Amino acid sequence: MTDSKYYQDWFKKAEQDLRAADILLRFEDIYDTVAFHCQQAVEKYLKGYLIFCGSSIKKTHDLTVLCNMCTNYNEGFKDFFDDCKFLTVFYNEIKYPPAETYEEVTKEEAQKAFEIAQKIRGFVLEQINS
């Protein structure tokens, strides 16, 4: 599958990830999956923002790399660097069965991941709509 060149497509998929995270957070106790969906949502919002700005996107799941790229268009993204660092862990750490050093994602961490994803979503959409 080829990545879409339309930022709206990225945002649509990001919304689906956030909706899934919200449902799982409220009705299930699958916190690692919540955190994974939040990481995925933010990845898609950042990539969509880069496309909106006319940039090519990097094939990476490291949100700190994407966030840094976004600062080329808006320095306000610097405020999200630590949040992106927090979320990036949930891409590889949670995607596969636990390793010996793996620690379960807590409800608090899942809630934090969801709050971060919502905050970054709001900032990105604010930039797009201004």
Side-chain angles (χ1 to χ4, degrees):
M1 181 176 128
T2 316
D3 291 335
S4 174
K5 303 261 187 268
Y6 301 101
Y7 73 92
Q8 299 96 328
D9 293 341
W10 286 90
F11 291 171
K12 181 179 178 184
K13 295 299 281 182
E15 289 293 324
Q16 292 172 355
D17 280 317
L18 266 186
R19 208 166 60 219
D22 183 36
I23 290 167
L24 291 172
L25 190 56
R26 288 190 288 137
F27 300 110
E28 298 290 336
D29 60 353
I30 311 171
Y31 302 128
D32 60 343
T33 304
V34 170
F36 175 76
H37 278 294
C38 291
Q39 183 280 335
Q40 285 290 284
V42 169
E43 179 179 332
K44 291 166 186 153
Y45 278 119
L46 295 178
K47 287 181 176 180
Y49 177 76
L50 289 167
I51 290 168
F52 174 81
C53 291
S55 178
S56 59
I57 55 173
K58 198 171 203 161
K59 298 248 185 223
T60 183
H61 302 289
D62 187 334
L63 302 182
T64 59
V65 169
L66 295 170
C67 188
N68 191 47
M69 290 174 68
C70 290
T71 63
N72 292 327
Y73 302 97
N74 184 320
E75 289 200 13
F77 280 96
K78 287 181 181 179
D79 294 341
F80 300 108
F81 191 80
D82 288 339
D83 290 335
C84 286
K85 188 175 180 181
F86 174 79
L87 288 178
T88 293
V89 172
F90 299 126
Y91 180 74
N92 283 326
E93 297 279 328
I94 296 174
K95 203 163 115 181
Y96 301 108
E100 289 178 21
T101 58
Y102 175 81
E103 292 184 30
E104 295 273 331
V105 175
T106 66
K107 181 177 184 176
E108 291 75 24
E109 289 171 321
Q111 287 173 324
K112 179 179 177 180
F114 187 70
E115 289 167 9
I116 288 170
Q118 288 182 305
K119 184 171 58 171
I120 292 174
R121 172 193 182 269
F123 184 77
V124 168
L125 294 180
E126 185 179 291
Q127 304 318 302
I128 298 296
N129 293 319
S130 62

